[in-house]
Amino acid sequence: MNIPDYYKAVSLKLTEVLDASGLREDIRWLRINTSLETEELETICHEIHAGHVSRVYFFGSQAEATTTLGLLSDIDKVSFVDNVVVLHDIQFWKPSLHTLVTLLMVADERTPPGYVKLQLVQRDAPMTIHNYQDKSFVLDSEGRSVLSHGNLYVSLSNPLNQGIRNGPAITTSIMGETEDFVWGLWIRCCPDQVSRWMSTSSHCNWPTRPIMDVIKQTAVFLVPVGQKLSHQQHLQWRLSFSFAEKLLMMQFNPTQYKCYVMLKFIKSTFINVHDVGNVLTSYHCKTCMFYLIEDTPASLWHPHNLMLCMDLCLRLLLSWVQSANCPNFFVPDENMFLGKLTCPVQGKIARTLQDLLQQKGRYITKISYDNIGENVVRVCQSLSMELYYPDESILSQTIVNLMRKLEELSFHCVWSNLCKLNIFKSRHGPRQEIGNVLRALICSVLGNHLASQSIKQEIYHQEKLILAHEILLLGSYSDVASGKLKLAAFYLARGMLDEMEEVINQVDANFTHNVFEALDLVGNLNAVLKILQEHHSKAKFIQKCLALTVYYSKLDIHCIPKVLIFEIFRSTGSKCSLLMLALNGFPIALVTARVYLYFLQYQCFYLQGRVAQRIVALNNMIWVSKDYYQKCTDLVEHMNNMFGIHVFHTEFTQVSLFVTTSMNLLAYCLKQDGRPMDAFKVLCLSMNLFNQNNGAKWQIAIFINSVIRILWGRQ
């Protein structure tokens, strides 16, 4: 193989450009660890909603940190149901009261490699079932009762009737960010097809023996998709090795990592264009990397050889395309091109790969993603790079996803019975620090629920109140404000104004310019990252620089201000999906921390008779409400221009809830301050902004009732 002289120099320049585009090692691992923490929070949200243990895992480019902002990769999520047992051998059957159904992996001569059928097993004995069928189980050609991709699994995959079904996945999109959600079935033991791969002697260089031992203990799962050319496609379940793949991806050294991302750039720029479609996927590129790393010495994979490694990958892909056979790394007998690579497309892709190899690396200058090509040229000419998406941006987006998941968890907690879930279990590894924040967050919710139950009684239950107070104190360290503000509201309900003032003064002192709320995150990505790096810990960042939204449910109505009860019951029990619970009238009140701080300050100073401080708090509420209103109207224009009507409606509705709640709280204080007409004008603005399920209707009704009473009294 003739290697051009300039390959080493250009490889080093390309490495420099990729590092500046968000592919540095420190950013890579911070993204991976943050994804693991977000995965943990997603699991807990899922458990709370489902009411049982149902682990969620993140896979794909986002979890592996192998994407950039330019590539716009989606988020892949897989969840498993613990009460469905899948066996690869009937001898491993065990009776269990917690098992809903037991399935046995079976195959015949018509089952392609990498796929299995799932035969029903009796509940009380290790015996398979024949000649039984219903809406989920059908009979195959041998009379076995096997699980089909029928109504049962569709309902499991999409319990909320949201998104679009895309193969085994349910695809949803919010704010231009796409998520693919799949329900998988967990295989408790290593299947025979994988055992044969592990026993081969070809793994001399990579994976190493310790990694192979870990892979042996790694779960394999099944997804409901069959081989496209099979007549029994609806009965087949594909083996998925996502856990092992994720582990192998983490073993990539910096050059292997960058080579894989470059393959994705090449695929999207040159191959999957025009009428070729998405025939060559990222998974094919990943498989190519696995085989090449396995068959080459580790000494090859260094920064000065990056261009050479890319050429080797393209040559391997070319050989697969020409032979129309892409072997699965874990089940080599499975051809991943089968049913996808038609003759016309095969020829076009082969010619494209040949042309790329003949260009001797010059094609990289034509890669527009993240301005890679132009920046390579500039660096080679000793010019400064022009970064559309610097490394801070891609990492900031990952951090923001984690913060949004904390917000979502706060929302889930307030309307669920957390005592039934084992969410206080020990969390180890990189998720430990987020676990500490999580426990504080849950304590603030539990403490508030318990306090409301105690205050509801005519005679306060002192033991419960003391316990609720202690739990609320533990929950006050969840973030900058939300836990402390719930504690302050508890003091307000108890008439403990001195203690309340002490807490809100502490929150006010902590509310510096470095504190971010939900509405601030998207527009301040780089500022978020800078402050995060200063704290060297996401937990410290959350506790010192993040003010989570304050959520209340109907379980809290006895220890919250009256106006928030209006917000909780702003609608009358409309049925709605999980993502739109708060939007479509679910009994939840949500208020941003800054608005709630000024509202509680006003209530405290109002009851203490401190006029000057009360006016300052009211003016602060007016200022913040105006700021939120402007952000909301700006979002209307932005969404209309960027994303279209559907996404615009969802995102605008979410933001408008923050804004209308802040305006409704402001109107409540204006009325207390003896300014009823100003309060009515603010309520009308709130209704004009969003008139569906708006708590302003309660205040307007009370206002009209007061006017009628006054007029009636005059008559």
Side-chain angles (χ1 to χ4, degrees), residues 315-592:
R315 289 181 184 277
L316 181 55
L317 286 172
L318 175 60
S319 68
W320 286 350
V321 171
Q322 289 175 333
S323 63
N325 181 23
C326 177
N328 188 298
F329 186 67
F330 301 96
V331 185
D333 291 337
E334 179 189 354
N335 178 9
M336 297 191 297
F337 280 160
L338 196 62
K340 299 178 181 178
L341 194 64
T342 61
C343 289
V345 171
Q346 179 184 10
K348 290 180 181 179
I349 295 178
R351 287 190 294 272
T352 300
L353 291 170
Q354 290 170 341
D355 179 62
L356 291 173
L357 288 167
Q358 290 172 1
Q359 292 185 42
K360 299 296 183 181
R362 289 187 292 272
Y363 58 82
I364 66 172
T365 62
K366 302 175 185 177
I367 296 176
S368 59
Y369 288 99
D370 297 273
N371 212 26
I372 295 296
E374 183 178 338
N375 280 329
V376 170
V377 174
R378 294 181 67 85
V379 171
C380 289
Q381 296 174 346
S382 300
L383 300 174
S384 60
M385 288 181 274
E386 293 184 355
L387 299 173
Y388 292 160
Y389 305 111
D391 51 10
E392 291 86 359
S393 296
I394 185 66
L395 178 57
S396 298
Q397 188 61 57
T398 306
I399 299 296
V400 167
N401 288 338
L402 174 65
M403 304 312 167
R404 284 176 171 172
K405 192 55 60 178
L406 276 173
E407 283 279 354
E408 182 181 339
L409 181 61
S410 301
F411 168 74
H412 280 269
C413 286
V414 297
W415 61 274
S416 301
N417 190 347
L418 302 179
C419 299
K420 294 182 179 180
L421 297 172
N422 186 22
I423 50 182
F424 288 98
K425 59 187 177 183
S426 175
R427 290 178 164 79
H428 306 284
R431 297 177 292 281
Q432 181 64 48
E433 61 174 358
I434 295 298
N436 294 333
V437 173
L438 172 63
R439 280 184 281 272
L441 185 65
I442 293 173
C443 280
S444 70
V445 175
L446 288 175
N448 223 61
H449 288 353
L450 184 59
S452 181
Q453 292 174 9
S454 304
I455 296 175
K456 180 181 179 181
Q457 302 174 8
E458 293 183 4
I459 300 177
Y460 290 169
H461 196 297
Q462 292 301 324
E463 292 182 1
K464 280 188 177 182
L465 282 175
I466 293 173
L467 177 60
H469 182 235
E470 292 176 351
I471 296 176
L472 282 169
L473 286 172
L474 292 174
S476 63
Y477 300 100
S478 58
D479 60 293
V480 171
S482 68
K484 294 181 178 65
L485 292 175
K486 286 190 174 184
L487 178 62
F490 168 78
Y491 288 144
L492 177 63
R494 297 290 316 281
M496 302 166 64
L497 298 183
D498 292 339
E499 291 83 351
M500 177 186 178
E501 183 180 1
E502 181 181 351
V503 172
I504 58 179
N505 286 342
Q506 182 182 354
V507 176
D508 196 16
N510 292 336
F511 240 116
T512 66
H513 67 280
N514 289 333
V515 173
F516 300 94
E517 296 183 275
L519 293 177
D520 301 325
L521 289 175
V522 177
N524 297 277
L525 296 181
N526 291 339
V528 169
L529 177 62
K530 182 179 179 181
I531 297 172
L532 173 64
Q533 290 173 330
E534 292 174 357
H535 285 86
H536 305 290
S537 165
K538 285 186 282 294
K540 290 182 179 178
F541 170 80
I542 293 168
Q543 292 170 337
K544 295 183 178 297
C545 299
L546 185 66
L548 294 173
T549 303
V550 179
Y551 293 92
Y552 287 116
S553 75
K554 60 183 179 181
L555 298 177
D556 303 310
I557 60 175
H558 299 287
C559 62
I560 62 175
K562 181 179 180 181
V563 64
L564 287 178
I565 300 178
F566 297 155
E567 298 299 315
I568 290 175
F569 295 105
R570 62 184 175 276
S571 182
T572 54
S574 58
K575 295 183 179 179
C576 48
S577 64
L578 177 63
L579 293 179
M580 302 293 287
L581 285 175
L583 311 183
N584 288 345
F586 195 83
I588 293 286
L590 69 168
V591 54
T592 60

Side-chain angles (χ1 to χ4, degrees), residues 563 566 664-665 667-668 683 695-704:
V563 64
F566 297 155
N664 296 344
L665 265 62
Y668 187 84
L683 292 173
K697 294 178 181 178
W698 286 103
Q699 293 195 60
I700 292 174
I702 294 173
F703 180 87
I704 293 174

Side-chain angles (χ1 to χ4, degrees), residues 239-257:
L239 290 166
S240 177
F241 308 95
S242 295
F243 287 105
E245 292 161 12
K246 192 174 182 179
L247 179 61
L248 292 179
M249 290 294 298
M250 290 183 180
Q251 308 309 309
F252 279 13
N253 70 22
T255 301
Q256 293 163 348
Y257 169 65

